[in-house]
């Protein structure tokens, strides 16, 4: 009897219309296009401007894109995982609202938060549910409205992040395609280097925390960069060693889009040709939980059944890891 694996069978995506270019940022903080591009690889990012719309809106749009392309009846979806670092509201799960809005009325749903690794960890979770045999259709959505937690007077963070959403459907596969292996890690030392100080249970909101701008992302860029370069490259290298594959065997690297230099370092460690590295950081910046599914959606037509894909991510906490997956369909 062949082993059941969990394969991605459809993808969807959504980015807002409003474009925030490097030139526009240069009128807001002391920076310029050359400085941003050489250090990050980012040229522009998308911003959700409409009032009263949050990460759920981005996720719903991405899910609806997938549902339409797959011609999927949302009532057949068994569960919805909403990977996000920017939920609509505290306490009320954003996933529950998203599932209801897309018509997945038979699904149970919950949020998953692992900063920029949220979607990668969600892949592991979705695959486990499929492999267990309990569920047949798991919808994993990654969406973040990062503009809601970014201080646009802080040039160290406002140049990096954008808003977006992506989605992937996981289903059982009997051909040996889908998720093959994973290497996922965390280290609490990262808590001090990348965080939002206020708004949680340690430091609840107050007039003082608002005045001190403690509800925005704060980052020690040099420390985060150092950990990200070594750990993302290390995880990708380990997943290849464990599965006896080389750079020649890997068809695509789908890496978290935080910084082009980090992506390049990971590809170099894997001995991967530049043509195999999926990249859209120049268009969207770092959309946190949405980077991996946005890449899959942008490059879907180039992905072929049986392609060996290595996913890699790194995020706050610290959280990081790599997943080896065989693509399951021709677009």
């Amino acid at each position: 009897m062949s082993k059941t694996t969990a394969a991605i069978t459809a993808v969807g995506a959504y980015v807002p219309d409003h474009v925030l270019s490097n030139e526009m940022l240069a009128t807001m903080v002391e920076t310029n296009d050359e400085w941003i591009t050489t250090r990050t690889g980012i040229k522009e990012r998308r911003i959700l401007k409409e009032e009263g719309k949050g990460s759920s809106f981005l996720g719903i749009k991405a899910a609806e894109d997938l549902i339409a392309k797959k011609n999927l009846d949302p009532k057949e979806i068994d569960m919805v995982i909403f990977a996000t670092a920017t939920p609509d509201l505290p306490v009320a799960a954003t996933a529950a609202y998203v599932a209801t809005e897309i018509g997945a009325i038979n699904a149970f749903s919950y949020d998953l938060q692992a900063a920029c690794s949220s979607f990668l960890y969600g892949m592991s979770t979705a695959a486990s549910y499929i492999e267990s045999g309990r569920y047949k259709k798991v919808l994993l959505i990654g969406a973040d409205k990062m503009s809601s937690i970014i201080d646009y007077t802080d040039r160290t963070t406002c140049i990096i992040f954008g808003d977006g959403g992506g989605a992937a459907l996981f289903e059982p596969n009997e051909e040996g395609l889908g998720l093959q292996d994973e290497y996922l890690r965390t280290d609490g030392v990262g808590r001090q280097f990348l965080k939002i100080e206020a708004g949680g249970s340690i430091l609840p909101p107050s007039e003082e925390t608002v005045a001190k701008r403690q509800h925005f992302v704060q980052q020690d860029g040099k420390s985060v960069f150092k950990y990200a370069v070594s750990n993302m490259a290390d995880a990708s290298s380990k997943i290849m060693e464990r599965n006896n594959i080389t750079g020649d065997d890997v068809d695509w690297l789908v890496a978290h889009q935080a910084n082009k230099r980090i992506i390049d370092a990971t590809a170099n460690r894997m001995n991967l040709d530049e043509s195999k590295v999926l990249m859209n950081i120049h268009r969207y910046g770092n959309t946190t939980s949405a980077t991996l599914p946005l890449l899959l959606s942008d490059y879907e037509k180039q992905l072929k059944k049986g392609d060996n894909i290595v996913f890699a991510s790194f995020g706050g906490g610290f959280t990081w890891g790599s997943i080896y997956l065989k693509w399951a369909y021709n677009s």
Side-chain angles (χ1 to χ4, degrees), residues 240-261:
M240 289 169 69
E241 285 170 24
R242 285 192 351 185
N243 292 277
N244 296 314
I245 55 174
T246 66
D248 292 335
D249 303 314
V250 176
D251 293 293
W252 308 105
L253 169 64
V254 179
H256 173 55
Q257 306 286 292
N259 186 301
K260 187 177 183 295
R261 292 187 292 166

Side-chain angles (χ1 to χ4, degrees), residues 86-136:
T86 55
D88 284 5
L89 306 164
V91 183
T94 307
Y97 176 69
V98 170
T100 298
E101 287 298 300
I102 64 173
I105 56 173
N106 296 313
F108 76 101
S109 52
Y110 57 82
D111 295 356
L112 191 156
Q113 207 283 73
C116 292
S117 301
S118 296
F119 193 86
L120 188 81
Y121 284 19
M123 289 175 67
S124 170
T125 308
S128 298
Y129 278 111
I130 293 293
E131 289 165 6
S132 74
R134 290 185 187 179
Y135 306 106
K136 301 293 184 192

Side-chain angles (χ1 to χ4, degrees), residues 11-89:
V11 294
Y14 176 79
V15 289
D17 293 330
H18 182 78
V19 175
L20 179 59
S21 67
N22 290 348
E23 288 78 11
M24 292 163 75
L25 274 175
T27 67
M28 298 158 64
V29 291
E30 191 185 334
T31 190
N32 59 67
D33 174 61
E34 187 195 7
W35 194 91
I36 297 171
T37 305
T38 54
R39 281 161 180 78
T40 68
I42 301 168
K43 282 287 187 184
E44 57 187 39
R45 61 289 297 139
R46 301 298 184 96
I47 304 296
L48 181 59
K49 284 284 199 180
E50 290 91 334
E51 212 169 302
K53 290 180 178 175
S55 296
S56 64
F57 175 78
L58 301 167
I60 289 164
K61 287 287 193 181
E64 286 174 345
D65 181 46
L66 181 152
I67 288 165
K69 280 159 62 179
K70 179 76 171 170
N71 196 22
L72 173 69
D73 181 355
K75 296 186 187 70
E76 294 178 3
I77 299 169
D78 298 308
M79 71 175 294
V80 176
I81 303 170
F82 194 75
T84 188
T86 55
D88 284 5
L89 306 164

Side-chain angles (χ1 to χ4, degrees), residues 130-316:
I130 293 293
E131 289 165 6
S132 74
R134 290 185 187 179
Y135 306 106
K136 301 293 184 192
K137 286 180 171 60
V138 177
L139 180 63
L140 172 62
I141 302 168
D144 272 301
K145 185 184 176 183
M146 291 304 293
S147 61
S148 66
I149 56 170
I150 295 302
D151 181 355
Y152 285 93
T153 67
D154 175 12
R155 69 172 186 168
T156 63
T157 55
C158 74
I159 64 168
I160 299 167
F161 296 97
D163 303 338
L169 183 68
F170 284 77
E171 295 186 89
N173 184 279
E174 307 297 334
E175 301 176 88
L177 303 171
L179 198 144
Q180 305 295 306
D181 194 15
E182 63 182 47
Y183 179 84
L184 306 176
R185 292 292 182 271
T186 56
D187 187 346
V189 72
R191 181 162 157 139
Q192 62 184 305
F193 300 123
L194 181 53
K195 63 187 173 183
I196 294 176
E197 283 184 339
S201 57
I202 294 175
L203 191 60
S206 67
E207 285 185 25
E208 186 182 6
T209 62
V210 173
K212 287 183 173 178
R213 307 182 79 80
Q214 289 175 286
H215 294 268
F216 294 118
V217 170
Q218 297 173 10
Q219 175 172 277
D220 178 342
K222 284 183 180 174
S223 297
V224 173
F225 182 85
K226 184 182 76 175
Y227 277 96
V229 165
S230 60
N231 286 318
M232 218 163 95
D234 185 54
S236 304
S237 176
K238 275 194 167 64
I239 205 87
M240 289 169 69
E241 285 170 24
R242 285 192 351 185
N243 292 277
N244 296 314
I245 55 174
T246 66
D248 292 335
D249 303 314
V250 176
D251 293 293
W252 308 105
L253 169 64
V254 179
H256 173 55
Q257 306 286 292
N259 186 301
K260 187 177 183 295
R261 292 187 292 166
I262 298 172
I263 301 165
D264 290 341
T266 302
N268 289 338
R269 181 80 175 272
M270 296 167 67
N271 290 320
L272 216 55
D273 188 80
E274 196 180 334
S275 64
K276 295 181 174 184
V277 182
L278 304 193
M279 197 95 68
N280 59 15
I281 189 171
H282 55 292
R283 296 171 61 201
Y284 308 133
N286 181 354
T287 54
T288 304
S289 308
T291 62
L292 301 184
L294 276 175
L295 280 171
L296 292 179
S297 180
D298 278 0
Y299 287 89
E300 183 183 15
K301 288 187 171 132
Q302 289 176 235
L303 308 180
K304 300 285 185 285
K305 186 175 179 179
D307 277 358
N308 289 320
I309 303 177
V310 173
F311 292 79
S313 196
F314 183 89

